[in-house]
Amino acid sequence: MNKRRRVYEGKAKVLYEGPEPGTLIQHFKDDATAFNNKKHALIEGKGVLNNRICEYIFLRLGEIGVPTHFLRSLNMREQLIREVEIIPLEVVVRNVAAGSLAQRLGLEEGKPLPRQIVEFYYKNDELGDPMVTEEHITAFGWATPQEIDEILALALRINDFLVGLFLGIGIRLVDFKIEFGREWDNEQMRIVLADEISPDCCRLWDIATSDKLDKDRFRRDMGGVLEAYQEVARRLGVLAGSPRPRGSGPVLVSSKPN
Ligand code: UDP
């Protein structure tokens, strides 16, 4: 096999040069990290599940007109994506109090927020991704006011869609983190959803039992990380080897315990 050029290696993914100019191969690893890399483990099979879940979500978002970097699936762990200029912001959308928000403002975890809240964090591992405001973003030139408006509008649309998608399979979308990039087409630029959406960067709680089906199981040493990700994939109908044909859509799950 030809040795591919590695363009970037992150905590959970590797980017390789793609087959055509302007494309990259996004490879999902089994590595799990938390607390700015202080905690690390290998969770065998996680990369395969995240690849499948992310592919499914990006395709569905593309169908409702959300521009994304996703081009096509390549294999169990890899997808072909368009090369974009990543905007150095982590955009967090929240529906329910949890994690850092609950801690910072002394809110009870699980309390629905009065409305959806969007937060920005500056992507910088050395600084531990500090929270920033639109003032910082425009003053330091990370994004223009117009780009921020577009990012906010896309983030809210993505949230509305995902809340409904997960609700339909008995899952509460508590919060999630997304990233955006600039895609250039000659002189034209558009903002597209980049990176990934998977249980690594979402809080997903089972509606009936409140079980956590996301990376908090790893952060909080709860065990059953792979099983939780498998459950999300199974309900979305994308688990390879599941009795339902792959890609046949979400499985409706009753929100009330039997
Ligand atoms: N998140 C993420 N990467 C980060 C920080 C947060 O994917 O570097 C996700 C996290 O999984 C959660 C949401 O963003 O779904 C909000 O996270 P929070 O700010 O509560 O931080 P945490 O409690 O994870 O430190």
Side-chain angles (χ1 to χ4, degrees):
M1 200 180 122
N2 287 339
K3 193 109 181 78
R4 296 179 298 186
R5 195 169 75 83
R6 188 180 300 225
V7 178
Y8 172 83
E9 176 143 16
K11 286 171 255 180
K13 296 188 293 295
V14 187
L15 295 178
Y16 295 100
E17 203 170 55
E20 299 118 40
T23 65
L24 294 172
I25 293 168
Q26 177 160 260
H27 175 107
F28 288 78
K29 299 191 286 184
D30 285 340
D31 298 63
T33 63
F35 312 119
N36 205 8
N37 238 345
K38 287 188 194 81
K39 181 170 177 172
H40 176 261
L42 272 185
I43 298 172
E44 214 173 306
K46 178 177 81 78
V48 174
L49 292 166
N50 278 358
N51 180 36
R52 289 254 186 271
I53 293 169
C54 180
E55 173 196 347
Y56 181 81
I57 292 177
F58 274 50
L59 280 173
R60 297 294 82 77
L61 286 170
E63 284 166 6
I64 62 154
V66 172
T68 81
H69 72 169
F70 181 86
L71 290 171
R72 65 187 153 86
S73 168
L74 294 174
N75 57 51
M76 301 264 284
R77 282 185 187 273
E78 294 177 334
Q79 40 186 246
L80 188 68
I81 59 169
R82 227 185 283 277
E83 187 170 19
V84 298
E85 183 186 311
I86 289 288
I87 295 171
L89 296 174
E90 301 203 334
V91 180
V92 169
V93 186
R94 302 178 181 273
N95 300 299
V96 175
S100 70
L101 177 76
Q103 269 185 359
R104 207 171 46 242
L105 301 185
L107 302 173
E108 186 196 333
E109 264 219 333
K111 207 172 155 45
L113 297 170
R115 62 169 174 82
Q116 48 196 358
I117 292 174
V118 182
E119 298 170 345
F120 297 108
Y121 295 83
Y122 177 46
K123 253 171 84 76
N124 184 317
D125 280 343
E126 271 168 46
L127 301 175
D129 299 339
M131 191 192 231
V132 291
T133 68
E134 297 187 26
E135 282 284 287
H136 301 108
I137 297 169
T138 51
F140 294 111
W142 300 323
T144 65
Q146 293 77 11
E147 287 174 334
I148 296 176
D149 285 348
E150 204 167 328
I151 287 171
L152 278 171
L154 283 171
L156 295 180
R157 253 176 95 201
I158 292 166
N159 184 50
D160 283 346
F161 180 78
L162 291 185
V163 164
L165 175 77
F166 282 114
L167 191 63
I169 54 170
I171 292 175
R172 194 173 180 205
L173 178 62
V174 171
D175 55 32
F176 61 96
K177 184 269 297 179
I178 43 182
E179 295 181 24
F180 293 92
R182 297 184 186 95
E183 186 188 295
W184 293 93
D185 187 6
N186 294 320
E187 294 298 288
Q188 287 289 323
M189 187 278 290
R190 65 170 186 166
I191 303 281
V192 304
L193 177 65
D195 192 50
E196 69 173 296
I197 298 182
S198 74
D200 266 4
C201 46
C202 300
R203 284 200 170 90
L204 303 168
W205 295 355
D206 183 276
I207 287 175
T209 62
S210 293
D211 276 353
K212 294 185 195 309
L213 301 173
D214 57 55
K215 204 165 100 174
D216 269 351
R217 301 200 75 86
F218 172 70
R219 292 190 191 97
R220 301 180 188 189
D221 290 320
M222 298 168 78
V225 182
L226 194 73
E227 291 75 7
Y229 284 42
Q230 272 168 347
E231 181 61 14
V232 174
R234 188 189 68 76
R235 291 193 199 180
L236 287 171
V238 298
L239 190 62
S242 75
R244 306 177 69 255
R246 197 187 141 229
S248 59
V251 183
L252 186 65
V253 173
S254 165
S255 60
K256 296 194 182 66
N258 292 323

